[in-house]
Coordinates of all heavy atoms in Angstrom, one line a residue:
K377 N 0.8 -1.2 0.0 CA 0.0 0.0 0.0 C 0.9 1.3 0.0 O 0.3 2.3 -0.2 CB -0.9 0.0 1.2 CG -2.0 -1.1 1.1 CD -2.9 -1.0 2.3 CE -4.0 -2.0 2.1 NZ -5.0 -1.9 3.1
Y378 N 2.1 1.1 0.2 CA 3.0 2.3 0.3 C 3.8 2.4 -1.0 O 4.3 1.4 -1.5 CB 3.9 2.2 1.5 CG 3.1 2.3 2.8 CD1 2.9 1.1 3.5 CD2 2.7 3.5 3.3 CE1 2.1 1.1 4.7 CE2 1.9 3.5 4.5 CZ 1.7 2.3 5.2 OH 1.0 2.3 6.3
F379 N 4.0 3.6 -1.5 CA 4.8 3.8 -2.7 C 5.9 4.7 -2.2 O 5.9 5.4 -1.2 CB 4.0 4.6 -3.7 CG 3.0 3.7 -4.4 CD1 1.7 3.7 -4.0 CD2 3.3 2.9 -5.4 CE1 0.7 2.9 -4.6 CE2 2.4 2.1 -6.0 CZ 1.1 2.1 -5.6
F380 N 7.0 4.7 -3.0 CA 8.1 5.6 -2.7 C 8.5 6.3 -4.0 O 8.2 5.7 -5.1 CB 9.3 5.0 -2.0 CG 9.9 3.9 -2.8 CD1 11.0 4.2 -3.7 CD2 9.5 2.6 -2.7 CE1 11.6 3.2 -4.4 CE2 10.1 1.6 -3.5 CZ 11.2 1.9 -4.3
F381 N 9.0 7.4 -3.9 CA 9.4 8.2 -5.1 C 10.9 8.1 -5.3 O 11.7 8.3 -4.3 CB 9.0 9.6 -5.0 CG 9.4 10.5 -6.2 CD1 8.6 10.4 -7.3 CD2 10.4 11.4 -6.1 CE1 9.0 11.2 -8.4 CE2 10.8 12.1 -7.2 CZ 10.1 12.0 -8.3
L382 N 11.4 7.8 -6.5 CA 12.8 7.7 -6.7 C 13.2 8.6 -7.9 O 12.5 8.5 -9.0 CB 13.2 6.3 -7.0 CG 14.6 6.0 -7.6 CD1 15.6 6.3 -6.5 CD2 14.7 4.6 -8.1
M383 N 14.1 9.5 -7.7 CA 14.6 10.3 -8.8 C 16.1 10.2 -8.9 O 16.8 10.6 -8.0 CB 14.2 11.7 -8.7 CG 14.6 12.6 -9.9 SD 13.8 14.2 -9.8 CE 14.9 15.1 -10.8
I384 N 16.6 9.6 -10.0 CA 18.0 9.5 -10.2 C 18.5 10.9 -10.5 O 17.9 11.7 -11.2 CB 18.3 8.5 -11.3 CG1 17.6 7.1 -11.1 CG2 19.8 8.3 -11.5 CD1 18.0 6.5 -9.8
R385 N 19.8 11.2 -10.1 CA 20.3 12.5 -10.3 C 20.2 13.0 -11.7 O 20.3 12.3 -12.7 CB 21.8 12.5 -9.9 CG 22.7 11.8 -10.8 CD 24.1 11.8 -10.3 NE 24.9 11.0 -11.1 CZ 25.5 11.4 -12.2 NH1 25.4 12.6 -12.6 NH2 26.3 10.5 -12.9
R386 N 20.1 14.3 -11.8 CA 20.0 15.0 -13.1 C 21.5 15.3 -13.6 O 22.3 15.7 -12.8 CB 19.2 16.2 -13.1 CG 17.8 16.0 -12.9 CD 17.0 17.3 -12.8 NE 15.7 17.1 -12.5 CZ 14.7 17.1 -13.4 NH1 15.0 17.3 -14.7 NH2 13.5 16.9 -13.1
P387 N 21.7 15.2 -14.9 CA 23.0 15.6 -15.4 C 23.2 17.1 -15.4 O 22.2 17.8 -15.3 CB 23.0 15.1 -16.9 CG 21.6 15.1 -17.2 CD 20.8 14.8 -16.0
P388 N 24.4 17.6 -15.5 CA 24.6 19.0 -15.6 C 23.9 19.6 -16.8 O 23.6 18.9 -17.8 CB 26.2 19.2 -15.8 CG 26.7 17.9 -15.4 CD 25.7 16.8 -15.6
R389 N 23.5 20.9 -16.7 CA 22.8 21.6 -17.8 C 23.4 21.4 -19.2 O 22.7 21.3 -20.1 CB 22.6 23.1 -17.5 CG 21.6 23.4 -16.4 CD 21.4 24.9 -16.4 NE 20.3 25.1 -15.4 CZ 19.1 25.2 -15.7 NH1 18.7 25.0 -16.9 NH2 18.2 25.5 -14.8
S390 N 24.7 21.4 -19.3 CA 25.3 21.3 -20.6 C 25.1 19.9 -21.3 O 25.2 19.8 -22.5 CB 26.8 21.5 -20.4 OG 27.4 20.5 -19.6
T391 N 24.6 18.9 -20.5 CA 24.4 17.6 -21.2 C 22.9 17.2 -21.2 O 22.6 16.1 -21.4 CB 25.2 16.5 -20.4 OG1 24.7 16.4 -19.1 CG2 26.6 16.7 -20.5
Q392 N 22.0 18.2 -21.0 CA 20.6 17.9 -20.9 C 19.9 17.9 -22.3 O 18.7 17.8 -22.4 CB 19.9 18.8 -20.0 CG 20.1 18.5 -18.6 CD 19.2 19.3 -17.6 OE1 18.6 20.3 -18.1 NE2 19.3 19.0 -16.4
S393 N 20.6 17.9 -23.4 CA 20.0 17.9 -24.7 C 19.4 16.5 -25.0 O 19.9 15.5 -24.5 CB 21.0 18.3 -25.8 OG 21.9 17.2 -25.9
R394 N 18.3 16.5 -25.8 CA 17.7 15.3 -26.1 C 18.5 14.4 -27.1 O 18.2 13.3 -27.4 CB 16.3 15.6 -26.7 CG 15.3 16.1 -25.8 CD 15.0 15.2 -24.7 NE 14.3 14.0 -25.2 CZ 14.2 12.9 -24.5 NH1 14.7 12.8 -23.3 NH2 13.6 11.9 -25.0
S395 N 19.5 15.0 -27.7 CA 20.3 14.3 -28.6 C 21.2 13.2 -28.0 O 21.6 12.3 -28.6 CB 21.2 15.2 -29.4 OG 22.1 15.9 -28.5
S396 N 21.4 13.3 -26.7 CA 22.2 12.3 -26.0 C 21.3 11.3 -25.3 O 20.5 11.5 -24.5 CB 23.0 13.1 -24.9 OG 23.6 12.1 -24.0
A397 N 21.5 10.0 -25.8 CA 20.7 8.9 -25.3 C 21.1 8.7 -23.8 O 20.3 8.2 -23.0 CB 21.0 7.7 -26.1
A398 N 22.4 8.9 -23.5 CA 22.8 8.7 -22.1 C 22.1 9.6 -21.1 O 21.9 9.3 -20.0 CB 24.3 8.9 -22.0
S399 N 21.6 10.8 -21.5 CA 21.0 11.7 -20.6 C 19.6 11.2 -20.2 O 19.2 11.5 -19.1 CB 20.8 13.1 -21.3 OG 19.9 13.0 -22.3
D400 N 19.0 10.3 -20.9 CA 17.7 9.7 -20.5 C 17.9 8.8 -19.3 O 16.9 8.7 -18.5 CB 17.1 8.8 -21.6 CG 16.6 9.6 -22.8 OD1 16.3 10.9 -22.5 OD2 16.4 9.1 -23.9
V401 N 19.0 8.3 -19.1 CA 19.3 7.4 -17.9 C 19.1 8.3 -16.6 O 18.6 7.8 -15.6 CB 20.7 6.8 -17.9 CG1 21.0 6.1 -16.7 CG2 20.8 5.9 -19.1
Y402 N 19.4 9.5 -16.7 CA 19.4 10.4 -15.5 C 18.0 11.1 -15.3 O 17.9 11.8 -14.4 CB 20.5 11.4 -15.6 CG 21.8 10.8 -15.7 CD1 22.5 10.8 -16.9 CD2 22.4 10.2 -14.6 CE1 23.8 10.2 -16.9 CE2 23.6 9.6 -14.6 CZ 24.3 9.6 -15.8 OH 25.5 9.0 -15.9
K403 N 17.1 10.9 -16.2 CA 15.8 11.5 -16.1 C 14.7 10.5 -15.7 O 13.6 10.7 -16.1 CB 15.5 12.2 -17.4 CG 16.4 13.4 -17.7 CD 16.0 14.0 -19.0 CE 17.0 15.1 -19.3 NZ 16.7 15.7 -20.6
R404 N 15.1 9.5 -15.0 CA 14.1 8.4 -14.7 C 13.3 8.8 -13.4 O 13.8 8.6 -12.3 CB 14.8 7.1 -14.5 CG 15.5 6.7 -15.8 CD 16.3 5.4 -15.7 NE 16.4 4.8 -14.4 CZ 16.7 3.5 -14.3 NH1 17.0 2.8 -15.3 NH2 16.8 3.0 -13.1
Q405 N 12.1 9.3 -13.5 CA 11.3 9.5 -12.4 C 10.3 8.4 -12.3 O 9.4 8.3 -13.2 CB 10.6 10.9 -12.6 CG 11.5 12.0 -12.6 CD 10.8 13.3 -12.7 OE1 9.6 13.4 -12.7 NE2 11.6 14.4 -12.8
V406 N 10.4 7.6 -11.3 CA 9.5 6.4 -11.2 C 8.9 6.3 -9.8 O 9.5 6.8 -8.8 CB 10.3 5.1 -11.5 CG1 10.7 5.1 -13.0 CG2 11.4 4.9 -10.6
L407 N 7.8 5.7 -9.7 CA 7.1 5.4 -8.5 C 6.9 3.9 -8.4 O 6.2 3.4 -9.2 CB 5.7 6.1 -8.4 CG 5.0 6.2 -7.2 CD1 5.7 7.0 -6.1 CD2 3.6 6.8 -7.4
I408 N 7.6 3.2 -7.5 CA 7.6 1.8 -7.5 C 7.1 1.3 -6.1 O 7.6 1.7 -5.1 CB 9.0 1.2 -7.7 CG1 9.5 1.7 -9.1 CG2 9.0 -0.3 -7.7 CD1 10.9 1.3 -9.4
D409 N 6.1 0.4 -6.1 CA 5.7 -0.3 -4.9 C 6.8 -1.2 -4.4 O 7.4 -1.9 -5.2 CB 4.4 -1.1 -5.1 CG 3.9 -1.6 -3.8 OD1 4.3 -2.7 -3.4 OD2 3.0 -1.0 -3.2
P410 N 7.1 -1.3 -3.1 CA 8.2 -2.2 -2.6 C 8.0 -3.7 -2.9 O 8.9 -4.4 -2.8 CB 8.3 -1.9 -1.1 CG 7.3 -0.8 -0.8 CD 6.5 -0.5 -2.1
T411 N 6.7 -4.1 -3.1 CA 6.5 -5.5 -3.4 C 6.6 -5.9 -4.8 O 6.5 -7.1 -5.2 CB 5.0 -5.9 -2.9 OG1 4.1 -5.1 -3.7 CG2 4.8 -5.6 -1.4
A412 N 6.9 -4.9 -5.7 CA 7.1 -5.2 -7.1 C 8.4 -6.0 -7.3 O 9.4 -5.7 -6.6 CB 7.1 -4.0 -7.9
S413 N 8.4 -6.9 -8.3 CA 9.7 -7.6 -8.6 C 10.1 -7.2 -10.0 O 9.5 -7.4 -11.0 CB 9.4 -9.1 -8.6 OG 10.5 -9.8 -9.1
I414 N 11.3 -6.5 -10.0 CA 11.8 -5.9 -11.2 C 13.2 -6.5 -11.5 O 14.1 -6.5 -10.7 CB 11.9 -4.4 -11.1 CG1 10.5 -3.9 -10.8 CG2 12.5 -3.8 -12.4 CD1 10.5 -2.4 -10.5
H415 N 13.4 -7.1 -12.7 CA 14.6 -7.7 -13.1 C 15.7 -6.5 -13.2 O 15.3 -5.4 -13.7 CB 14.5 -8.4 -14.4 CG 15.7 -9.2 -14.8 ND1 16.8 -8.7 -15.3 CD2 15.9 -10.6 -14.6 CE1 17.7 -9.7 -15.5 NE2 17.1 -10.8 -15.1
P416 N 16.9 -6.8 -12.8 CA 17.9 -5.7 -12.9 C 18.2 -5.2 -14.3 O 18.7 -4.1 -14.5 CB 19.2 -6.3 -12.3 CG 18.8 -7.7 -11.9 CD 17.4 -8.0 -12.2
D417 N 17.9 -6.0 -15.4 CA 18.2 -5.6 -16.7 C 17.0 -4.8 -17.4 O 17.1 -4.5 -18.5 CB 18.5 -6.8 -17.6 CG 19.9 -7.4 -17.3 OD1 20.7 -6.7 -16.7 OD2 20.1 -8.6 -17.6
A418 N 15.9 -4.6 -16.6 CA 14.8 -3.8 -17.1 C 15.2 -2.3 -17.1 O 15.9 -1.9 -16.2 CB 13.6 -4.0 -16.3
Y419 N 14.7 -1.5 -18.1 CA 15.0 -0.1 -18.1 C 13.6 0.6 -17.9 O 12.7 0.4 -18.7 CB 15.5 0.3 -19.5 CG 16.0 1.7 -19.6 CD1 17.3 2.1 -19.3 CD2 15.1 2.7 -19.9 CE1 17.7 3.4 -19.3 CE2 15.4 4.0 -20.0 CZ 16.7 4.4 -19.7 OH 17.1 5.7 -19.7
I420 N 13.5 1.3 -16.8 CA 12.3 1.9 -16.4 C 12.4 3.4 -16.3 O 13.3 3.9 -15.6 CB 11.8 1.3 -15.0 CG1 11.7 -0.2 -15.2 CG2 10.6 2.0 -14.5 CD1 11.4 -0.9 -13.9
G421 N 11.5 4.1 -16.9 CA 11.5 5.6 -16.8 C 11.7 6.2 -18.2 O 12.1 5.6 -19.1
P422 N 11.4 7.5 -18.3 CA 10.9 8.4 -17.3 C 9.3 8.2 -17.1 O 8.7 7.6 -17.9 CB 11.2 9.8 -17.8 CG 11.1 9.6 -19.3 CD 11.6 8.2 -19.5
D423 N 8.9 8.8 -16.0 CA 7.4 8.9 -15.7 C 6.7 7.6 -15.7 O 5.8 7.3 -16.5 CB 6.8 9.9 -16.7 CG 7.4 11.2 -16.7 OD1 7.9 11.7 -15.6 OD2 7.6 11.8 -17.8
V424 N 7.1 6.6 -14.8 CA 6.5 5.3 -14.7 C 6.0 5.1 -13.3 O 6.7 5.4 -12.3 CB 7.5 4.2 -15.1 CG1 6.9 2.8 -14.9 CG2 7.9 4.4 -16.6
T425 N 4.8 4.5 -13.2 CA 4.3 4.0 -11.9 C 4.1 2.5 -11.9 O 3.5 2.0 -12.8 CB 3.0 4.7 -11.6 OG1 3.2 6.1 -11.6 CG2 2.4 4.3 -10.2
I426 N 4.6 1.8 -10.9 CA 4.5 0.4 -10.8 C 3.8 0.0 -9.5 O 4.3 0.4 -8.4 CB 5.9 -0.3 -10.9 CG1 6.5 0.1 -12.3 CG2 5.8 -1.8 -10.7 CD1 7.9 -0.4 -12.4
G427 N 2.7 -0.7 -9.6 CA 1.9 -1.1 -8.4 C 2.4 -2.3 -7.7 O 3.4 -2.9 -8.1
P428 N 1.7 -2.7 -6.7 CA 2.0 -3.8 -5.8 C 1.9 -5.2 -6.6 O 1.0 -5.4 -7.3 CB 1.1 -3.8 -4.6 CG 0.0 -2.9 -5.1 CD 0.5 -2.0 -6.1
G429 N 2.9 -6.0 -6.3 CA 2.9 -7.4 -6.8 C 3.2 -7.5 -8.3 O 3.1 -8.6 -8.9
V430 N 3.6 -6.4 -8.9 CA 3.9 -6.4 -10.4 C 5.2 -7.2 -10.6 O 6.2 -7.1 -9.8 CB 4.1 -5.0 -10.9 CG1 4.7 -5.0 -12.3 CG2 2.7 -4.3 -10.9
V431 N 5.3 -8.0 -11.7 CA 6.5 -8.7 -12.0 C 7.0 -8.2 -13.4 O 6.2 -8.2 -14.4 CB 6.3 -10.2 -12.1 CG1 7.5 -10.9 -12.6 CG2 5.8 -10.8 -10.8
I432 N 8.2 -7.7 -13.4 CA 8.8 -7.2 -14.6 C 10.1 -8.0 -14.9 O 11.0 -8.0 -14.1 CB 9.1 -5.7 -14.5 CG1 7.8 -4.9 -14.3 CG2 9.9 -5.2 -15.7 CD1 7.9 -3.5 -14.2
E433 N 10.1 -8.6 -16.1 CA 11.2 -9.6 -16.4 C 12.3 -8.9 -17.2 O 12.2 -7.7 -17.5 CB 10.6 -10.7 -17.2 CG 9.7 -11.6 -16.4 CD 9.2 -12.8 -17.1 OE1 9.5 -13.1 -18.2 OE2 8.5 -13.6 -16.4
E434 N 13.3 -9.6 -17.6 CA 14.5 -9.2 -18.2 C 14.2 -8.4 -19.5 O 13.4 -8.8 -20.3 CB 15.4 -10.4 -18.5 CG 16.6 -10.1 -19.3 CD 17.4 -11.4 -19.7 OE1 16.8 -12.5 -19.5 OE2 18.5 -11.2 -20.2
G435 N 15.0 -7.3 -19.7 CA 14.9 -6.6 -21.0 C 13.7 -5.8 -21.2 O 13.5 -5.2 -22.3
V436 N 12.8 -5.6 -20.3 CA 11.6 -4.8 -20.5 C 12.0 -3.4 -20.5 O 12.8 -2.9 -19.7 CB 10.6 -5.1 -19.3 CG1 9.4 -4.2 -19.3 CG2 10.1 -6.6 -19.4
R437 N 11.3 -2.6 -21.3 CA 11.4 -1.1 -21.4 C 10.1 -0.5 -21.1 O 9.1 -0.7 -21.8 CB 11.9 -0.7 -22.8 CG 12.0 0.8 -23.0 CD 13.0 1.5 -22.1 NE 13.3 2.8 -22.6 CZ 12.9 3.9 -21.9 NH1 12.1 3.8 -20.9 NH2 13.2 5.1 -22.4
L438 N 10.0 0.3 -20.0 CA 8.8 1.0 -19.6 C 9.0 2.5 -19.7 O 10.0 3.0 -19.1 CB 8.4 0.6 -18.2 CG 8.0 -0.8 -18.0 CD1 7.7 -1.1 -16.5 CD2 6.9 -1.3 -18.8
K439 N 8.1 3.2 -20.3 CA 8.3 4.6 -20.5 C 6.9 5.3 -20.4 O 6.0 4.9 -21.1 CB 9.0 4.9 -21.9 CG 9.2 6.3 -22.2 CD 9.9 6.3 -23.6 CE 10.1 7.7 -24.1 NZ 10.7 7.7 -25.4
Q440 N 6.8 6.3 -19.6 CA 5.6 7.1 -19.4 C 4.3 6.2 -19.4 O 3.4 6.4 -20.1 CB 5.5 8.1 -20.6 CG 6.6 9.1 -20.6 CD 6.6 9.9 -21.9 OE1 6.1 9.6 -22.9 NE2 7.2 11.1 -21.7
S441 N 4.3 5.3 -18.4 CA 3.2 4.3 -18.3 C 2.9 4.0 -16.8 O 3.7 4.4 -15.9 CB 3.6 3.0 -19.0 OG 3.8 3.2 -20.4
C442 N 1.8 3.4 -16.6 CA 1.3 3.0 -15.3 C 1.0 1.5 -15.4 O 0.2 1.0 -16.2 CB 0.1 3.8 -14.9 SG -0.6 3.4 -13.3
I443 N 1.7 0.7 -14.5 CA 1.4 -0.7 -14.4 C 0.7 -1.0 -13.1 O 1.3 -0.8 -12.0 CB 2.8 -1.5 -14.5 CG1 3.7 -1.0 -15.6 CG2 2.5 -3.0 -14.6 CD1 3.1 -1.1 -17.0
L444 N -0.5 -1.5 -13.2 CA -1.3 -1.7 -12.0 C -1.1 -3.0 -11.3 O -0.4 -3.9 -11.9 CB -2.8 -1.5 -12.4 CG -3.2 -0.1 -12.9 CD1 -4.6 0.0 -13.3 CD2 -2.8 1.0 -12.0
R445 N -1.7 -3.2 -10.2 CA -1.5 -4.3 -9.3 C -1.4 -5.7 -10.0 O -2.3 -6.0 -10.8 CB -2.7 -4.3 -8.3 CG -2.7 -5.5 -7.3 CD -3.9 -5.4 -6.4 NE -4.1 -4.2 -5.7 CZ -3.5 -3.9 -4.5 NH1 -2.8 -4.9 -3.9 NH2 -3.7 -2.8 -3.9
E446 N -0.4 -6.5 -9.6 CA -0.2 -7.9 -10.0 C -0.1 -8.1 -11.5 O -0.4 -9.2 -11.9 CB -1.3 -8.7 -9.3 CG -1.2 -8.7 -7.8 CD -2.4 -9.4 -7.2 OE1 -3.2 -10.1 -7.9 OE2 -2.5 -9.4 -5.9
A447 N 0.2 -7.1 -12.3 CA 0.5 -7.3 -13.7 C 1.8 -8.0 -13.9 O 2.7 -7.9 -13.1 CB 0.4 -6.0 -14.4
V448 N 1.9 -8.8 -15.0 CA 3.2 -9.5 -15.3 C 3.6 -9.0 -16.7 O 2.8 -9.1 -17.7 CB 3.0 -11.0 -15.3 CG1 4.3 -11.7 -15.7 CG2 2.5 -11.5 -13.9
I449 N 4.8 -8.5 -16.8 CA 5.4 -8.1 -18.1 C 6.5 -9.0 -18.4 O 7.5 -9.0 -17.7 CB 5.9 -6.6 -18.0 CG1 4.8 -5.7 -17.3 CG2 6.3 -6.1 -19.4 CD1 3.5 -5.5 -18.0
R450 N 6.4 -9.8 -19.4 CA 7.4 -10.8 -19.8 C 8.6 -10.1 -20.5 O 8.6 -9.0 -20.8 CB 6.7 -11.8 -20.7 CG 5.6 -12.6 -20.1 CD 6.1 -13.6 -19.1 NE 5.0 -14.3 -18.5 CZ 5.0 -14.8 -17.3 NH1 6.1 -14.7 -16.5 NH2 4.0 -15.4 -16.8
Q451 N 9.5 -11.0 -20.8 CA 10.8 -10.6 -21.4 C 10.8 -9.7 -22.6 O 10.0 -10.0 -23.5 CB 11.7 -11.8 -21.7 CG 12.0 -12.6 -20.4 CD 12.6 -14.0 -20.8 OE1 12.6 -14.3 -22.0 NE2 13.1 -14.7 -19.8
H452 N 11.6 -8.7 -22.7 CA 11.9 -7.9 -23.9 C 10.7 -7.2 -24.4 O 10.5 -7.1 -25.6 CB 12.6 -8.7 -24.9 CG 13.8 -9.4 -24.4 ND1 15.0 -8.7 -24.1 CD2 14.1 -10.7 -24.1 CE1 15.9 -9.5 -23.7 NE2 15.4 -10.7 -23.6
T453 N 9.8 -6.7 -23.6 CA 8.6 -6.0 -24.0 C 8.8 -4.5 -23.9 O 9.5 -4.1 -22.9 CB 7.4 -6.5 -23.1 OG1 7.1 -7.8 -23.3 CG2 6.2 -5.7 -23.4
W454 N 8.3 -3.8 -24.8 CA 8.4 -2.3 -24.8 C 7.0 -1.8 -24.5 O 6.0 -2.0 -25.3 CB 8.9 -1.9 -26.2 CG 8.8 -0.4 -26.4 CD1 7.7 0.4 -26.6 CD2 9.9 0.5 -26.4 NE1 8.0 1.7 -26.7 CE2 9.4 1.8 -26.6 CE3 11.3 0.4 -26.2 CZ2 10.2 2.9 -26.7 CZ3 12.1 1.5 -26.3 CH2 11.6 2.7 -26.6
I455 N 6.8 -1.0 -23.5 CA 5.5 -0.3 -23.2 C 5.8 1.2 -23.0 O 6.6 1.6 -22.2 CB 4.9 -0.9 -21.9 CG1 4.6 -2.4 -22.1 CG2 3.6 -0.2 -21.5 CD1 4.1 -3.1 -20.9
S456 N 5.0 1.9 -23.8 CA 5.2 3.4 -23.8 C 3.8 4.1 -23.8 O 2.9 3.6 -24.5 CB 6.0 3.8 -25.0 OG 6.1 5.2 -25.0
N457 N 3.6 5.1 -23.0 CA 2.4 5.9 -23.0 C 1.1 5.0 -22.8 O 0.1 5.2 -23.5 CB 2.3 6.7 -24.2 CG 3.4 7.7 -24.4 OD1 3.8 8.4 -23.5 ND2 4.0 7.6 -25.6
S458 N 1.1 4.1 -21.8 CA 0.0 3.2 -21.7 C -0.3 2.9 -20.2 O 0.5 3.2 -19.3 CB 0.4 1.8 -22.3 OG 0.7 2.0 -23.7
I459 N -1.5 2.4 -20.0 CA -1.9 1.9 -18.7 C -2.2 0.5 -18.8 O -3.0 0.0 -19.6 CB -3.2 2.7 -18.2 CG1 -2.9 4.2 -18.1 CG2 -3.6 2.1 -16.8 CD1 -4.1 5.0 -17.8
I460 N -1.5 -0.4 -18.0 CA -1.7 -1.8 -18.0 C -2.5 -2.2 -16.8 O -2.1 -1.8 -15.6 CB -0.3 -2.5 -18.0 CG1 0.6 -2.1 -19.1 CG2 -0.5 -4.0 -18.0 CD1 0.0 -2.3 -20.5
G461 N -3.6 -2.8 -17.0 CA -4.6 -3.0 -15.9 C -4.2 -4.1 -14.9 O -3.2 -4.8 -15.1
W462 N -5.0 -4.2 -13.9 CA -4.8 -5.2 -12.8 C -4.7 -6.6 -13.3 O -5.5 -7.0 -14.2 CB -6.0 -5.1 -11.8 CG -6.1 -3.8 -11.1 CD1 -5.2 -3.3 -10.2 CD2 -7.1 -2.9 -11.2 NE1 -5.7 -2.1 -9.7 CE2 -6.9 -1.8 -10.4 CE3 -8.3 -2.8 -12.0 CZ2 -7.7 -0.7 -10.3 CZ3 -9.1 -1.7 -11.9 CH2 -8.8 -0.6 -11.1
Q463 N -3.8 -7.3 -12.9 CA -3.6 -8.8 -13.1 C -3.5 -9.1 -14.6 O -3.8 -10.2 -15.1 CB -4.7 -9.6 -12.5 CG -4.8 -9.5 -11.0 CD -5.9 -10.2 -10.4 OE1 -6.9 -10.6 -11.1 NE2 -5.8 -10.4 -9.1
S464 N -3.0 -8.1 -15.4 CA -2.8 -8.3 -16.8 C -1.5 -9.1 -17.0 O -0.6 -9.0 -16.2 CB -2.6 -7.0 -17.6 OG -3.8 -6.2 -17.5
K465 N -1.4 -9.9 -18.1 CA -0.2 -10.6 -18.4 C 0.1 -10.2 -19.9 O -0.6 -10.5 -20.8 CB -0.5 -12.1 -18.3 CG -0.7 -12.5 -16.9 CD -1.0 -14.0 -16.8 CE -1.1 -14.5 -15.3 NZ -1.7 -13.6 -14.4
I466 N 1.3 -9.6 -20.0 CA 1.8 -9.2 -21.3 C 2.9 -10.2 -21.7 O 3.9 -10.4 -21.0 CB 2.4 -7.8 -21.2 CG1 1.4 -6.8 -20.6 CG2 2.8 -7.3 -22.6 CD1 0.1 -6.7 -21.3
G467 N 2.8 -10.7 -22.9 CA 3.8 -11.8 -23.4 C 5.1 -11.2 -23.7 O 5.4 -10.0 -23.6
R468 N 6.0 -12.1 -24.2 CA 7.4 -11.7 -24.6 C 7.4 -11.0 -25.9 O 6.6 -11.3 -26.8 CB 8.2 -13.0 -24.6 CG 8.5 -13.6 -23.3 CD 9.3 -14.8 -23.4 NE 8.5 -15.8 -24.1 CZ 8.9 -17.1 -24.3 NH1 10.0 -17.5 -23.8 NH2 8.1 -17.9 -25.0
W469 N 8.3 -10.1 -26.1 CA 8.6 -9.4 -27.3 C 7.3 -8.7 -27.8 O 7.1 -8.6 -29.0 CB 9.1 -10.3 -28.4 CG 10.5 -10.8 -28.1 CD1 10.8 -12.0 -27.5 CD2 11.7 -10.2 -28.2 NE1 12.1 -12.1 -27.3 CE2 12.7 -11.0 -27.7 CE3 12.1 -8.9 -28.8 CZ2 14.1 -10.6 -27.8 CZ3 13.4 -8.6 -28.8 CH2 14.4 -9.4 -28.3
V470 N 6.6 -8.0 -26.9 CA 5.4 -7.3 -27.3 C 5.7 -5.8 -27.3 O 6.5 -5.4 -26.5 CB 4.2 -7.6 -26.3 CG1 3.0 -6.7 -26.5 CG2 3.8 -9.1 -26.4
R471 N 5.1 -5.0 -28.2 CA 5.3 -3.6 -28.2 C 3.9 -3.0 -28.0 O 3.0 -3.2 -28.8 CB 5.9 -3.1 -29.5 CG 6.1 -1.6 -29.5 CD 6.8 -1.2 -30.8 NE 7.0 0.2 -30.8 CZ 8.1 0.9 -30.7 NH1 9.2 0.2 -30.6 NH2 8.2 2.2 -30.7
I472 N 3.7 -2.2 -26.9 CA 2.5 -1.5 -26.7 C 2.8 0.0 -26.6 O 3.6 0.4 -25.7 CB 1.8 -2.0 -25.4 CG1 1.5 -3.5 -25.4 CG2 0.6 -1.2 -25.0 CD1 1.0 -4.1 -24.1
C473 N 2.2 0.8 -27.4 CA 2.4 2.2 -27.3 C 1.3 3.0 -27.9 O 0.5 2.5 -28.7 CB 3.7 2.6 -28.1 SG 3.8 2.2 -29.8
L474 N 1.2 4.2 -27.5 CA 0.1 5.1 -28.0 C 0.7 5.9 -29.1 O 1.8 6.5 -29.0 CB -0.3 6.1 -26.9 CG -1.3 7.2 -27.3 CD1 -2.6 6.6 -27.7 CD2 -1.5 8.1 -26.1
L475 N 0.1 5.8 -30.3 CA 0.6 6.5 -31.5 C -0.3 7.8 -31.6 O -1.5 7.8 -31.6 CB 0.5 5.7 -32.7 CG 1.3 4.4 -32.7 CD1 1.0 3.6 -33.9 CD2 2.7 4.7 -32.6
Y476 N 0.4 8.9 -31.9 CA -0.3 10.2 -32.1 C -0.4 10.4 -33.6 O 0.5 10.2 -34.3 CB 0.5 11.3 -31.5 CG 0.7 11.2 -30.0 CD1 1.8 10.7 -29.4 CD2 -0.3 11.6 -29.1 CE1 2.0 10.6 -28.0 CE2 -0.2 11.5 -27.8 CZ 0.9 11.0 -27.2 OH 1.1 11.0 -25.9
T477 N -1.6 10.8 -33.9 CA -1.8 11.2 -35.3 C -2.4 12.6 -35.4 O -3.1 13.1 -34.5 CB -2.9 10.2 -36.0 OG1 -4.1 10.3 -35.3 CG2 -2.3 8.8 -36.0
S478 N -2.1 13.3 -36.5 CA -2.7 14.6 -36.7 C -3.9 14.5 -37.6 O -3.9 13.8 -38.6 CB -1.6 15.5 -37.3 OG -1.2 15.0 -38.5
D479 N -5.0 15.2 -37.1 CA -6.2 15.2 -37.9 C -6.4 16.4 -38.7 O -6.0 17.5 -38.4 CB -7.4 15.0 -37.0 CG -7.4 13.7 -36.3 OD1 -6.9 12.7 -36.8 OD2 -7.9 13.6 -35.1

């Protein structure tokens, strides 16, 4: 029931350009429940919330998303700009993202 906020340090202003992929590592703002199980090779952030009992496996990439209670995200899945519901199971090598279109 308790969440904690984690913000990895920000790089100096001179390196904050979007052209540097390495700068994204330092902009990871995530909210993770302590009961969540996250593989060390998963890349999480920025702007991600992970609920209680969530399992995130190897190679998963989460970006600007919310993963709700007891969801399971299998290996090498990419999730961006999405909300994954309670007790959802996402298979391996899946890509879930919100695509913007201009009307």
